[in-house]
Amino acid sequence: MIAEVIVDVPAKQTDRPFDYVIPQSLETVIQIGMRVVVPFGPRKIQGFVIGIKPHSTLNKLKEIIEPLDLTPVLSESLISLGNWLSEETLSYRISAYQAMLPAALKAKYQKKLLVPKENKPLLPQTLQSLFANQESIMWEEAKETGYLSLLQQEVTKGHIQIIYEVKDKIKKKKRLAIRSALSIEDLKTYQSTLTQRAQKQHDVINYFIEHNDWIFLTDLTATLQISNAVVKELVKKEVLEESEREIYRDPYANRYFKRTEPLQLTNEQQEAIDPIHDRIAKSMHEVFLLYGVTGSGKTEVYLQSIQKVLERGQEAICLVPEIALTPQMVHRFKGRFGNQVAVMHSGLSAGEKYDEWRKVQRGEVKVVVGARSAVFAPFENLGLIIIDEEHETSYKQEENPKYHSKDVAIKRGKQGSFPIILGSATPSLESFARAKKGVYTLLSLPKRMNNQDLPHVDIVDMREELRSGNRSMFSSSLLEKLQVRIERKQQTVLFLNKRGYSSFVMCRDCGYVVNCPNCDISLTYHRHQQQMKCHYCGFEDHVPTVCPECQSDHIRYFGTGTQKVEEELHKVLPEARVIRMDVDTTSKKGSHERLLNEFQKGHADILLGTQMIAKGLDFPNITLVGVLSADTMLHLPDFRSSEKTFQLLTQVSGRAGRHQLPGEVVIQTYSPEHYSIQLAAEQNYDQFYEREMMIRKGLKYSPFYFITLITVSHEQLMKALDVTEKITTFLTSRLTKSAVCLGPVASPIPRINNRYRYQCLIKYKREPELNQSLKQILDQYQQEVTSTSLKISVDVNPFILM
Ligand SMILES: Nc1ncnc2c1ncn2[C@@H]1O[C@H](COP(=O)(O)OP(=O)(O)OP(=O)(O)O)[C@@H](O)[C@H]1O
Ligand SMILES: [Zn+2]
Ligand SMILES: [Zn+2]
């Protein structure tokens, strides 16, 4: 038999299947979707088997050396999705396949076959002796045995597991784990012999009466607040047993989620969900845009749609922006669907991600909640994909393949014939326009669940505050309202908009700003290290004590960090209890959740934070939201900056007054007249939409025009400019008259890491030839890109224009 293999050499010449002979010994092993090692020129490299056929038209084929998997890592539908992805994003097929898999399946991890003790008796005799004195063997050893096909059968049955370990961390990964050595009956009997005084032992026994599985010793002692000695004692008495183990690294394991029942839907929710249920029942593809104001009960619609899918024996994916993948959100899914849910997000280690992925692949879970790349979850019988906060730009991947999760979801929905739900209180202009044209089906939830009005919003002009002598970062109106909340024991969320805004170091006398020597951008001041850093190239330096330009010593940092706000708060409201949430306070694992828990329990009056508190919070006692700096994003060189400002302000405001107590919002700004701030204050999406659409039409931007951005960079300015010029000329000759080709122009950040950057922006309505022309450009320069420092990036539908 012959295997068609896509090899791991990302280049134009190798971006097609190569034929390899499957050696006799591997004929029963090799399947489509597995990774294999093949000879390629003088080297041995990895590849994906994407087809198997009886004959090849070519002679003198080489043989596959060995398989890297015993079960396929890509299904045939994912392979075809990968092929589509590579076409759409102009990337190589190998990059597309790799983007769909967890990082643990890449080279620097090593592979083992593991047989849990209880499975050993289930293995055939030959394999039993192989695992006689060990619970796992290395993959390299396994290959030598000649039993690959036998091993494969046991892997398929689930008796043998394949695990990946980071090579240099192997020792750390194995940890001491504990489980009960007795049956529940015997545990109870043993417990009855314990004295009343042995409370700790009672706790341990109770734990194992309820949990019949391994738990790491450290987790057990932490959960029960006991010492190691208590456990060791019970191990000695053979009530418990211990073992060095690899356990599913489930970050939510051993956590109790309160079970929730479906709520009785309101009429509005029912009307929204009916067509969704109908398409699910009919296995019909359709894209729904669920446009519901903040707190209108969208999540309940998601949950009950998923429930419908599960009842039919199908699976569902719910995408959530990374930043909104809060413990609260996870609770809502785990609470409803229990351990049928896997969670995938960037906070997990590579091993944890692989474990969650494997649960999906082995059919052990039915629902995935996750960030962008969870759209590739390897379900085989999908019935629904939901994209919550569909307007979020984090759904776009900025590296190759530069895909957008929304496009991938819709493609999967077409392939598998199932509906897609895009949900948002502030839909992207693109999606709303499509809904208006009837490409998507619009479903609306115009009212809040509590039937309360949306919170009242006050816009405060900070220039006025200055004029009237208030130099503090809190307007008098916000300060007054803060005081009232503290008296009434209600809670406040204070939001500092950091995006597009950073603390920089400037001389007050001559205006000199400290820039990065390698990039054309100012250095960012980091308060806790007293350092300045470049966010693009990593350059670091001390803050100068005198201005390099004018020798004045009035050189200091500008801008407002959360720490500074916290200090100010303590000065003006000494009695206020503040929880600060930012990159610094949430860097430790689990701290995000701990801080939110404390706030929820009422241990603080004010939650102060950045983007990470803008979404998803649903706490009854929040009655005030303050936005300290509403306009920082407005001045970015990005045609979406008004849209992003509107969306963010609407989202933050939506945190107030979601339950019984009515809410209030204060927005502080230096541009109070800007329409995106005015209309966010009125929560008037429809008018914002009309207004912004007019502007986009005038400027020929999305959604009226498609956009593709080509960025060229090189160490030599002239070279970057020259190549961009040639590309622009070539494209102009290939495009129709209705297209606009803007270039070559210097990028908004003209130099990063000593590389000069030029760009060409294409705006177009319909250019069937464009894809082909872009490929031609990439092909043309491929040689130069691999052998010199020239870089060319093509971004179809870009979200970052810098
Ligand atoms: N049918 C229902 N009956 C009673 N309560 C409900 C119902 N549906 C939702 N809720 C409650 O209403 C509140 C708001 O709902 P939810 O958080 O789902 O809104 P949302 O539209 O997803 O909000 P946001 O976009 O602001 O995150 C929640 O506390 C939720 O439990
Ligand atoms: Zn100066
Ligand atoms: Zn730099």
Side-chain angles (χ1 to χ4, degrees):
M1 297 295 270
I2 307 295
E4 297 178 308
V5 178
I6 298 282
V7 294
D8 188 5
V9 182
K12 179 207 157 205
Q13 295 78 1
T14 49
D15 193 28
R16 60 170 181 88
F18 287 84
D19 286 357
Y20 285 92
V21 173
I22 303 176
Q24 198 90 53
S25 62
L26 291 177
E27 276 210 335
T28 55
V29 175
I30 303 286
Q31 294 167 26
I32 293 179
M34 283 182 177
R35 294 166 308 151
V36 289
V37 176
V38 292
F40 196 78
R43 295 184 297 152
K44 284 192 203 174
I45 59 170
Q46 259 197 47
F48 287 84
V49 176
I50 60 148
I52 292 179
K53 56 191 183 186
H55 307 288
S56 172
T57 50
L58 303 167
N59 299 320
K60 291 209 192 143
L61 292 180
K62 291 183 184 159
E63 283 194 347
I64 286 181
I65 299 173
E66 64 185 34
L68 280 172
D69 301 303
L70 290 180
T71 49
V73 293
L74 290 177
S75 63
E76 295 198 36
S77 60
L78 281 177
I79 292 176
S80 98
L81 188 71
N83 298 345
W84 166 85
L85 190 65
S86 90
E87 276 297 309
E88 288 293 301
T89 61
L90 295 154
S91 45
Y92 300 117
R93 279 161 80 171
I94 189 75
S95 325
Y97 299 155
Q98 272 161 351
M100 301 194 287
L101 294 174
L105 293 180
K106 282 168 200 157
K108 57 184 192 300
Y109 296 86
Q110 76 183 34
K111 194 163 36 171
K112 278 180 164 184
L113 302 180
L114 175 117
V115 183
K117 209 195 261 176
E118 55 276 16
N119 288 351
K120 260 186 209 171
L122 305 174
L123 298 182
Q125 209 54 51
T126 19
L127 294 187
Q128 279 196 27
S129 46
L130 187 61
F131 287 94
N133 303 314
Q134 50 193 0
E135 60 183 6
S136 67
I137 59 173
M138 303 304 288
W139 173 253
E140 282 65 33
E141 264 179 81
K143 278 186 324 208
E144 303 294 303
T145 62
Y147 295 142
L148 273 189
S149 151
L150 209 53
L151 287 165
Q152 180 179 37
Q153 287 166 18
E154 298 305 308
V155 171
T156 316
K157 286 184 200 151
H159 297 158
I160 300 183
Q161 296 170 17
I162 298 185
I163 57 173
Y164 285 83
E165 291 175 337
V166 181
K167 272 189 182 146
D168 46 22
K169 281 200 187 149
I170 274 180
K171 288 207 184 66
K172 281 191 212 146
K173 282 284 163 183
K174 276 221 160 175
R175 287 161 60 196
L176 196 61
I178 307 291
R179 78 168 171 190
S180 168
L182 307 177
S183 68
I184 292 185
E185 283 308 297
D186 292 343
L187 278 178
K188 285 185 179 156
T189 316
Y190 176 79
Q191 196 175 33
S192 64
T193 68
L194 290 173
T195 64
Q196 216 44 40
R197 286 195 8 257
Q199 186 52 46
K200 305 267 171 183
Q201 295 203 26
H202 272 288
D203 291 347
V204 179
I205 304 293
N206 277 335
Y207 177 90
F208 284 105
I209 287 174
E210 277 166 35
H211 299 86
N212 172 34
D213 202 0
W214 291 100
I215 175 171
F216 287 127
L217 176 62
T218 46
D219 290 344
L220 183 65
T221 52
T223 312
L224 301 179
Q225 307 267 316
I226 52 170
S227 69
N228 285 355
V230 180
V231 182
K232 291 280 178 184
E233 182 64 28
L234 287 167
V235 171
K236 225 165 85 191
K237 290 187 181 146
E238 295 186 348
V239 174
L240 304 180
E241 58 180 322
E242 59 178 23
S243 158
E244 289 280 335
R245 281 186 76 90
E246 245 312 295
I247 310 179
Y248 262 157
R249 291 149 289 196
D250 179 353
Y252 296 98
N254 315 317
R255 206 86 76 67
Y256 178 68
F257 292 97
K258 193 156 166 269
R259 218 165 163 90
T260 64
E261 293 298 325
L263 300 170
Q264 175 72 42
L265 295 181
T266 61
N267 288 340
E268 282 86 1
Q269 283 174 320
Q270 192 63 50
E271 268 175 43
I273 212 170
D274 281 341
I276 300 173
H277 278 183
D278 176 72
R279 303 317 179 265
I280 292 172
K282 290 183 185 145
S283 295
M284 248 176 82
H285 173 65
E286 186 162 332
V287 181
F288 294 101
L289 177 61
L290 180 61
Y291 162 44
V293 297
T294 51
S296 60
K298 293 186 288 293
T299 312
E300 189 62 30
V301 172
Y302 301 155
L303 292 171
Q304 298 199 19
S305 304
I306 294 175
Q307 190 183 339
K308 189 82 176 175
V309 169
L310 297 186
E311 282 164 10
R312 289 168 42 91
Q314 290 183 297
E315 299 120 6
I317 298 174
C318 182
L319 299 184
V320 180
E322 191 68 58
I323 213 158
L325 202 52
T326 55
Q328 218 186 2
M329 197 71 180
V330 173
H331 271 255
R332 291 174 87 169
F333 281 83
K334 290 240 175 191
R336 190 66 57 86
F337 303 116
N339 54 13
Q340 296 188 81
V341 181
V343 180
M344 294 177 166
H345 63 90
S346 66
L348 304 182
S349 69
E352 287 170 338
K353 278 184 198 153
Y354 169 66
D355 286 346
E356 296 295 293
W357 179 84
R358 190 160 53 135
K359 284 188 207 163
V360 176
Q361 216 209 9
R362 293 166 52 153
E364 293 170 6
V365 294
K366 300 281 175 212
V367 181
V368 161
V369 181
R372 179 174 64 221
S373 64
V375 75
F376 297 116
F379 282 128
E380 275 308 291
N381 192 13
L382 264 177
L384 179 67
I385 301 180
I386 298 164
I387 303 188
D388 188 30
E389 314 281 0
E390 68 87 32
H391 60 275
E392 270 293 307
T393 49
S394 65
Y395 286 126
K396 173 75 190 288
Q397 165 148 307
E398 296 301 335
E399 299 111 56
N400 272 331
K402 300 191 177 82
Y403 67 89
H404 195 295
S405 298
K406 198 192 304 185
D407 303 327
V408 179
I410 293 173
K411 180 69 187 172
R412 283 192 91 169
K414 279 186 190 150
Q415 264 185 358
S417 201
F418 58 82
I420 306 296
I421 307 175
L422 310 175
S424 178
T426 52
S428 64
L429 258 62
E430 287 83 356
S431 293
F432 206 70
R434 274 179 206 148
K436 287 208 149 179
K437 277 170 78 180
V439 182
Y440 300 164
T441 307
L442 186 64
L443 306 169
S444 310
L445 296 174
K447 288 206 305 254
R448 280 198 148 184
M449 274 319 297
N450 56 8
N451 273 318
Q452 297 248 15
D453 290 335
L454 287 162
H456 175 78
V457 181
D458 250 346
I459 300 179
V460 178
D461 183 347
M462 290 307 275
R463 296 170 306 189
E464 284 295 323
E465 292 285 316
L466 259 178
R467 266 178 233 135
S468 61
N470 179 5
R471 311 192 121 260
S472 115
M473 54 179 81
F474 310 108
S475 59
S476 42
S477 149
L478 178 58
L479 193 58
E480 207 174 284
K481 292 190 160 92
L482 275 168
Q483 271 156 344
V484 173
R485 303 305 129 149
I486 294 173
E487 279 158 27
R488 292 196 200 142
K489 307 220 175 317
Q490 295 177 356
Q491 292 180 305
T492 300
V493 167
L494 272 189
F495 175 70
L496 183 70
N497 189 359
K498 289 281 283 182
R499 205 180 287 163
Y501 182 76
S502 54
S503 321
F504 52 97
V505 176
M506 187 171 95
C507 170
R508 290 207 172 201
D509 285 335
C510 75
Y512 172 83
V513 173
V514 184
N515 276 334
C516 176
N518 310 319
C519 312
D520 291 327
I521 196 127
S522 59
L523 292 173
T524 302
Y525 177 68
H526 283 251
R527 194 176 168 82
H528 56 292
Q529 299 147 325
Q530 296 285 323
Q531 284 268 358
M532 303 179 300
K533 269 191 207 161
C534 172
H535 283 183
Y536 288 87
C537 74
F539 176 86
E540 282 184 45
D541 203 357
H542 293 291
V543 180
T545 46
V546 294
C547 171
E549 284 291 303
C550 75
Q551 268 65 49
S552 152
D553 55 5
H554 289 149
I555 185 158
R556 56 187 56 124
Y557 79 91
F558 270 72
T560 316
T562 39
Q563 264 181 11
K564 180 138 176 249
V565 178
E566 190 180 12
E567 282 164 24
E568 288 286 308
L569 267 177
H570 285 313
K571 274 187 217 149
V572 294
L573 292 170
E575 72 278 25
R577 296 163 304 162
V578 180
I579 290 181
R580 175 164 65 91
M581 270 183 69
D582 56 22
V583 203
D584 294 334
T585 63
T586 56
S587 57
K588 261 187 36 207
K589 216 175 173 179
S591 47
H592 189 229
E593 175 163 23
R594 189 176 46 80
L595 291 175
L596 285 180
N597 272 341
E598 272 175 45
F599 188 64
Q600 181 167 29
K601 284 189 196 140
H603 294 172
D605 308 297
I606 300 173
L607 179 65
L608 163 67
T610 50
Q611 258 70 2
M612 65 178 74
I613 61 168
K615 293 181 197 307
L617 299 187
D618 186 28
F619 296 145
N621 207 24
I622 301 176
T623 60
L624 175 64
V625 167
V627 179
L628 294 174
S629 43
D631 35 22
T632 52
M633 279 194 310
L634 278 178
H635 314 294
L636 291 176
D638 176 351
F639 71 90
R640 288 193 177 87
S641 63
S642 302
E643 186 183 1
K644 286 178 186 164
T645 301
F646 177 85
Q647 287 164 341
L648 193 63
L649 292 181
T650 311
Q651 290 289 348
V652 194
S653 308
R655 298 310 113 204
R658 294 167 67 90
H659 295 251
Q660 266 77 45
L661 301 167
E664 249 187 312
V665 179
V666 176
I667 294 180
Q668 303 189 159
T669 172
Y670 289 92
S671 4
E673 64 292 329
H674 196 281
Y675 65 97
S676 65
I677 292 176
Q678 291 273 341
L679 293 171
E682 294 170 25
Q683 308 253 340
N684 193 339
Y685 177 81
D686 297 304
Q687 205 178 327
F688 176 79
Y689 172 80
E690 296 299 338
R691 176 123 190 209
E692 184 69 12
M693 285 292 271
M694 260 167 45
I695 295 172
R696 299 279 180 92
K697 191 171 186 178
L699 297 175
K700 297 195 169 172
Y701 273 122
S702 158
F704 292 94
Y705 281 73
F706 293 109
I707 294 177
T708 289
L709 177 69
I710 301 163
T711 306
V712 177
S713 70
H714 196 273
E715 283 147 14
Q716 286 160 4
L717 185 144
M718 285 317 288
K719 179 71 187 174
L721 176 58
D722 180 49
V723 172
T724 316
E725 195 153 21
K726 289 200 173 102
I727 290 176
T728 311
T729 315
F730 173 74
L731 281 173
T732 313
S733 73
R734 291 308 244 0
L735 295 170
T736 65
K737 283 210 189 65
S738 66
V740 187
C741 201
L742 298 174
V745 290
S747 300
I749 303 175
R751 189 177 49 127
I752 291 182
N753 214 357
N754 287 321
R755 299 174 60 86
Y756 293 89
R757 307 168 76 240
Y758 275 83
Q759 65 179 37
C760 164
L761 188 74
I762 319 164
K763 304 177 185 179
Y764 53 99
K765 286 269 192 201
R766 227 184 79 82
E767 293 294 329
E769 301 293 308
L770 178 62
N771 223 311
Q772 204 45 48
S773 309
L774 290 170
K775 268 193 190 161
Q776 225 170 309
I777 292 171
L778 291 176
D779 291 352
Q780 165 97 29
Y781 286 100
Q782 144 129 51
Q783 196 58 41
E784 228 177 315
V785 166
T786 24
S787 54
T788 75
S789 81
L790 179 70
K791 281 196 189 127
I792 300 176
S793 133
V794 176
D795 195 347
V796 182
N797 188 15
F799 278 79
I800 293 181
L801 298 167
M802 316 276 257

